[in-house]
Amino acid sequence: MTEQLQTGLIRISDDVVATIAGLSALETPGIAAMSGGISEGLAKRLSGKNVQKGVSVEVGQLEAAIDLRVIVKYGIPIHEVCRSLQVNVRESVENMTGLHVVEVNVKVEGVAFKEEEVIEQDPHRVK
């Protein structure tokens, strides 16, 4: 985004919009991780400073379009998680940048299952 003011020019880079979108996505309940794409048959789960992975943006003068690739948590309705994700990302980007977000496209690339607890049993314990 580029905005000309009487005091000077304001530019918001694509990377900034992608970072805002990625962080907002990770804060959405039901989203386990961003997906970096399919590599060698496995979805790479990314978080932290790699939040731009799994996020593609197209930023114009006044508008932005955002594509997200995510991994959702098992057991939560995917369509509900994705609708919340779209709203959260749209609101975050619009509030922080002033850009109008024309679309937030979501591609679910995986489901994260809860890790099973491994309980070590004491071999000397009487059952």
Side-chain angles (χ1 to χ4, degrees):
M1 173 183 141
T2 304
E3 185 175 324
Q4 179 69 45
L5 300 175
Q6 292 178 354
T7 58
L9 191 63
I10 298 173
R11 291 185 183 161
I12 300 174
S13 81
D14 292 6
D15 288 344
V16 169
V17 175
T19 298
I20 293 167
L23 289 170
S24 180
L26 290 172
E27 292 174 354
T28 301
I31 299 298
M34 302 303 292
S35 176
I38 305 301
S39 176
E40 297 177 15
L42 299 173
K44 294 180 181 178
R45 295 180 186 187
L46 304 165
S47 61
K49 55 189 167 186
N50 292 321
V51 294
Q52 289 181 16
K53 301 285 184 171
V55 180
S56 300
V57 299
E58 291 181 31
V59 180
Q61 292 288 328
L62 302 172
E63 299 178 330
I66 301 167
D67 294 322
L68 302 170
R69 294 182 316 277
V70 298
I71 298 170
V72 298
K73 293 180 181 175
Y74 176 78
I76 301 173
I78 293 173
H79 64 284
E80 291 177 14
V81 171
C82 291
R83 290 285 179 234
S84 294
L85 174 61
Q86 289 173 316
V87 169
N88 291 347
V89 169
R90 178 184 310 275
E91 288 178 355
S92 293
V93 171
E94 288 182 347
N95 290 338
M96 292 186 71
T97 65
L99 291 167
H100 172 66
V101 177
V102 293
E103 63 185 12
V104 178
N105 300 309
V106 179
K107 181 178 182 186
V108 178
E109 291 192 341
V111 176
F113 297 94
K114 292 181 183 178
E115 292 183 8
E116 295 179 15
E117 290 183 25
V118 177
I119 301 172
E120 292 185 26
Q121 293 188 4
D122 183 356
H124 301 291
R125 191 176 102 196
V126 177
K127 294 183 184 182

